[in-house]
Amino acid sequence: MKRIKVGNMIDASAVVMGCMRIDGAKEVPEKIINTALECGIDYFDHADIYGGGRCEEIFGDFLKDNKSLRDKITIQTKCAIRNGFFDYSKEHIINSVENSLKRLKCDYLDVLLLHRPDTLMEPEEVAEAFSLLESSGKVKYFGVSNHNPMQVELLKTAVKQPLLINQLQLSITESGMITSGLNVNMKDDESFMHDGSVLEYSRIKGMTIQAWSPFQQGFFKRPFIGNYEEYPELNKRLEELAEKYNVQPISIAGAWVLRHPANIQLISGSMNTERIKAICAGADITLSREEWYSIYRAAGFRLP
């Protein structure tokens, strides 16, 4: 398994097991987690809202039966999404962490991310919460999710801890942060920048991008792999390269994300053990520059 330095500080697997769907998974959770571990995954992503907290509880039950594992893995969770609003208040951040720790049956979190931007955020409140959580030993590292560069900079006016991570949607077909950078000085739709150069900003600041939904078309839409109706050329190209590297098409799709030099981590949300194995196999493949661009073009993107 390829390894990276998350935020230049945390040694971790390039593939993350996203635990959002572990509640209700068709396979036994213990088997799913053990498969991830056997494949080299040692980084696990949660959020307080996943399954209404049940996903953290399931993982906590696994940890209770495997206590020696705790210090060998990285556990990350997210907070701030509430029923109908976002909440970056000091009280909510601290309470969320306390509740996540209870569900996970842990004494500390390795990483806490702010899940989605709260326009009513007071950076000073966030800073107080982070400092209390750090000084108490309940959270080691901090980051954000779905934030643009200026929102990160606003947080940094008060927050003293390094913000190591920005969790963002990125896949072959949902690659706006890449496409806008390739179409600079153009006046077509692909040149429109939605996120303030977040890709380049993250590289400059040493923030690790964690790619969520790396195998889906858009915001929780159907996967593009196997969707020959909308993406015939892309699937053909993925299959050609899968045959070359003796892996599955999903392995190549993951390798495409990890090939980018932006120190990206891939979040695998699959609860299928065979698919987890295939995704992890892709982490050890380094696509050539020509192969990477051929996949991008096969998805329907034009180069200027």
Side-chain angles (χ1 to χ4, degrees), residues 177-197:
M177 68 177 75
I178 292 172
T179 297
S180 60
L182 289 173
N183 286 271
V184 170
N185 200 34
M186 304 293 290
K187 294 185 179 179
D188 52 22
D189 290 342
E190 293 179 338
S191 69
F192 191 80
M193 190 171 293
H194 292 269
D195 48 36
S197 297

Side-chain angles (χ1 to χ4, degrees), residues 141-174:
Y141 302 104
F142 300 87
V144 297
S145 177
N146 303 302
H147 281 55
N148 68 36
M150 287 300 100
Q151 290 167 334
V152 175
E153 287 296 312
L154 179 57
L155 276 168
K156 288 165 68 174
T157 61
V159 171
K160 304 305 179 186
Q161 295 77 11
L163 298 176
L164 305 187
I165 296 158
N166 196 354
Q167 196 172 109
L168 300 162
Q169 185 176 20
L170 175 63
S171 71
I172 298 169
T173 60
E174 193 72 18

Side-chain angles (χ1 to χ4, degrees), residues 209-248:
I209 291 174
Q210 291 180 337
W212 60 265
S213 288
F215 308 113
Q216 291 179 298
Q217 297 176 46
F219 189 65
F220 297 131
K221 294 181 180 178
R222 61 182 289 197
F224 55 81
I225 296 171
N227 181 1
Y228 298 94
E229 181 180 347
E230 294 181 80
Y231 297 102
E233 293 302 317
L234 174 57
N235 278 280
K236 179 183 176 183
R237 188 60 181 137
L238 291 175
E239 288 171 358
E240 290 171 348
L241 290 169
E243 184 176 357
K244 173 183 174 179
Y245 287 100
N246 194 29
V247 291
Q248 299 297 315

Side-chain angles (χ1 to χ4, degrees), residues 56-57 60-61 63-64 100-107:
E56 289 180 331
E57 289 177 351
D61 290 340
L63 284 181
K64 183 180 178 181
S100 287
L101 289 174
K102 289 177 184 176
R103 290 190 290 265
L104 289 164
K105 298 176 178 62
C106 291
D107 296 324

Side-chain angles (χ1 to χ4, degrees), residues 270-281:
S270 177
M271 295 293 111
N272 179 296
T273 51
E274 292 305 311
R275 197 169 294 130
I276 291 170
K277 293 175 186 177
I279 291 166
C280 289

Side-chain angles (χ1 to χ4, degrees), residues 14-21 41 43 45 211-215 250 265-272 275-277 279-280:
V15 177
V16 175
M17 178 178 164
C19 298
M20 185 176 73
R21 297 182 178 91
I41 294 176
Y43 201 112
D45 175 68
W212 60 265
S213 288
F215 308 113
I250 197 170
Q265 265 188 317
L266 183 92
I267 300 178
S268 165
S270 177
M271 295 293 111
N272 179 296
R275 197 169 294 130
I276 291 170
K277 293 175 186 177
I279 291 166
C280 289

